[in-house]
């Protein structure tokens, strides 16, 4: 059983800020910024590629509401909504979850992407081909 399932089942303590029959929101034990929260479905799905659409929409609806409350509560000037899918992308707990990371100034945390040179026409062609096959 994964650590988030254990938290949901009450086997491991957490700092819950929201709970209903389908969703739990907890403070991340490693606060990237003040108010950093994780929102997760109670039903186990490994990642965004496996979660059922209905469950995903419920989670994201709650993410939006909680992001608004957290941003206002701590007077944050912005917020990052983040999901890591797979170990390569930084997912460390294989239970779908969404991070709400309030942002205060450019000095709190850095989330940066490295730019690479790719042929955008070729990438577009490959994706459109895959979409047609689905």
């Amino acid at each position: 059983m994964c650590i988030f399932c254990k938290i949901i089942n009450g086997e491991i303590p957490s700092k819950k800020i929201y709970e209903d029959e389908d969703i739990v929101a907890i403070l991340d034990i490693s606060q990237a910024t003040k108010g950093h929260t994780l929102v997760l479905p109670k039903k186990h799905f490994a990642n965004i590629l496996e979660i059922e659409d209905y469950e995903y929409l419920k989670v994201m609806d709650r993410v939006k509401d909680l992001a608004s409350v957290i941003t206002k509560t701590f007077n944050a000037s912005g917020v990052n909504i983040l999901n890591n899918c797979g170990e390569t992308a930084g997912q460390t707990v294989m239970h779908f979850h969404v991070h709400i990371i309030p942002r205060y100034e450019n000095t709190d945390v850095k989330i940066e992407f490295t730019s690479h040179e790719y042929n955008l026409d070729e990438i577009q062609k490959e994706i459109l081909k895959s979409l047609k096959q689905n």
Side-chain angles (χ1 to χ4, degrees), residues 3-4 6-19 24-29 40:
I3 191 167
F4 286 169
K6 289 180 180 179
I7 289 171
I8 291 164
N9 291 335
E11 298 171 36
I12 297 175
S14 66
K15 299 295 182 188
K16 291 181 186 174
I17 63 164
Y18 177 84
E19 182 173 17
V24 171
I26 60 174
L27 294 178
D28 193 310
I29 195 165
L40 47 140

Side-chain angles (χ1 to χ4, degrees), residues 66-117:
L66 289 170
S68 179
V69 169
I70 291 165
T71 301
K72 289 175 187 173
T73 298
F74 296 112
N75 199 28
S77 56
V79 64
N80 288 110
I81 305 300
L82 177 68
N83 169 258
N84 300 321
C85 180
E87 289 182 39
T88 304
Q91 185 179 6
T92 57
V93 178
M94 298 307 149
H95 184 119
F96 174 74
H97 59 285
V98 177
H99 295 257
I100 299 171
I101 305 173
R103 299 304 300 269
Y104 300 98
E105 295 295 328
N106 291 331
T107 58
D108 56 12
V109 293
K110 296 284 185 201
I111 298 176
E112 297 180 13
F113 297 97
T114 303
S115 179
H116 298 280
E117 294 291 326

Side-chain angles (χ1 to χ4, degrees), residues 28-82:
D28 193 310
I29 195 165
S30 300
Q31 291 279 288
T33 63
K34 185 178 182 180
H36 180 178
T37 298
L38 305 177
V39 183
L40 47 140
K42 288 185 175 180
K43 186 174 177 185
H44 183 90
F45 300 96
N47 57 48
I48 195 169
L49 303 176
E50 293 185 9
I51 190 169
E52 296 168 3
D53 291 348
Y54 178 71
E55 298 288 337
Y56 173 77
L57 293 172
K58 288 191 289 188
V59 169
M60 294 310 293
D61 186 52
R62 192 57 47 223
V63 165
K64 181 182 178 198
D65 292 343
L66 289 170
S68 179
V69 169
I70 291 165
T71 301
K72 289 175 187 173
T73 298
F74 296 112
N75 199 28
S77 56
V79 64
N80 288 110
I81 305 300
L82 177 68

